[in-house]
Amino acid sequence: MKIDAITIFPEYFAPAQLSLLGKAQGRGLVELQIHDLRSFTSDNHNTVDDTPYGGGAGMVMLPEIWGQALDPLLISDSDLIILTPAGSRFTQKMAEDFSKSSHLVFACGRYEGIDDRVRQYYSQSQFAKAGVRVHEVSVGDYVLGGGEVASLVMIEAITRLIPGVLGNPESLTEESHNSDGYLEYPNFTKPQEWRGISVPEVLLSGNHGEIAKWRKLQAQERAKKAF
Ligand code: ADE
């Protein structure tokens, strides 16, 4: 999978070189390229934003700069993801769908966001025909300083679903059972007793049927508490 992210803060993406995602890049499963939006400016101040038409607080990112950055990337089959707190909520199902894409482009807005004509322009039928799909996505019901951290969240959740990225693909099968509305059950490892708290007896029983039943119940209990 090819992933492009456009940002005015490329350094935000340093953690993408670590752990599973770093390894996935080393093994050629993921090709991640970070683009500095300011490199597409042509004025002395490298301006990327201006005041909003109609007035109001904050600044809006200039469509021309975004057009310069996006045009060379959106040439064929691609998902353009515009990060905004006003977007559709990112879910595990969305991560599964995006993990089947061959090319993701993350547009990381800052300030009051990107001029809406950028979304409109790349949603037009000529881009749709070329295989461009535009999504506005939010990672949660809160406002971040920009789309960089939100992109990292999405990239991590999506890339671990690409076949070969996870060391142990069985953990994905277990998860898919859990994503039927249950959160995961609690886990325990050695020692059998820690600071007076023992591992639940059933997990030591070797009875796989009983263990599965217990875990399902625990996951249901957790799910009840979570919502
Ligand atoms: N930009 C600012 N807040 C955001 C959020 N919650 N999700 C995605 N992008 C954002």
Side-chain angles (χ1 to χ4, degrees):
M1 174 189 283
K2 169 111 172 65
I3 301 176
D4 290 289
I6 307 163
T7 170
I8 56 166
F9 294 120
E11 294 85 355
Y12 255 103
F13 288 86
Q17 298 313 314
L18 305 173
S19 191
L20 276 181
L21 182 52
K23 283 196 193 119
Q25 290 173 79
R27 285 156 53 211
L29 295 167
V30 174
E31 190 193 330
L32 175 63
Q33 215 174 341
I34 312 299
H35 307 264
D36 186 349
L37 185 70
R38 288 197 200 276
S39 70
F40 297 92
T41 58
S42 46
D43 65 318
N44 286 341
H45 295 102
N46 301 120
T47 311
V48 293
D49 59 349
D50 208 332
T51 52
Y53 276 118
M59 301 291 267
V60 177
M61 296 188 105
L62 297 164
E64 180 54 28
I65 313 299
W66 277 100
Q68 297 290 340
L70 288 168
D71 282 344
L73 298 177
L74 296 176
I75 41 173
S76 59
D77 197 25
S78 308
D79 287 284
L80 169 61
I81 298 165
I82 301 174
L83 284 311
T84 160
S88 310
R89 179 74 57 83
F90 184 54
T91 60
Q92 187 64 25
K93 167 76 172 66
M94 236 191 250
E96 281 162 19
D97 292 343
F98 282 134
S99 75
K100 294 174 186 117
S101 173
S102 58
H103 185 206
L104 303 179
V105 180
F106 289 89
C108 304
R110 284 256 141 194
Y111 317 115
E112 300 308 309
I114 302 170
D115 188 307
D116 191 57
R117 286 170 292 182
V118 173
R119 178 193 61 79
Q120 294 176 33
Y121 181 76
Y122 294 105
S123 302
Q124 285 170 23
S125 58
Q126 81 229 51
F127 290 98
K129 270 192 212 124
V132 175
R133 296 164 295 273
V134 182
H135 317 263
E136 285 190 297
V137 182
S138 164
V139 292
D141 198 6
Y142 40 76
V143 180
L144 298 166
E148 288 77 8
V149 171
S151 294
L152 273 176
V153 166
M154 288 187 67
I155 291 169
E156 184 160 313
I158 292 165
T159 53
R160 65 190 288 285
L161 301 176
I162 296 171
V165 168
L166 274 195
N168 177 6
E170 263 176 39
S171 35
L172 285 184
T173 336
E174 296 230 339
E175 266 174 22
S176 66
H177 292 303
N178 290 323
S179 67
D180 300 338
Y182 303 126
L183 301 174
E184 243 193 280
Y185 47 79
N187 279 300
F188 303 87
T189 184
K190 279 90 184 166
Q192 218 166 293
E193 189 189 309
W194 178 74
R195 297 191 180 177
I197 309 168
S198 295
V199 170
E201 229 15 84
V202 61
L203 299 179
L204 312 172
S205 68
N207 183 334
H208 296 294
E210 283 303 310
I211 292 173
K213 235 194 302 179
W214 180 86
R215 283 180 166 167
K216 187 165 182 186
L217 201 71
Q218 291 288 316
Q220 284 169 336
E221 288 298 314
R222 261 191 178 179
K224 263 192 236 156
K225 276 191 217 144
F227 300 107

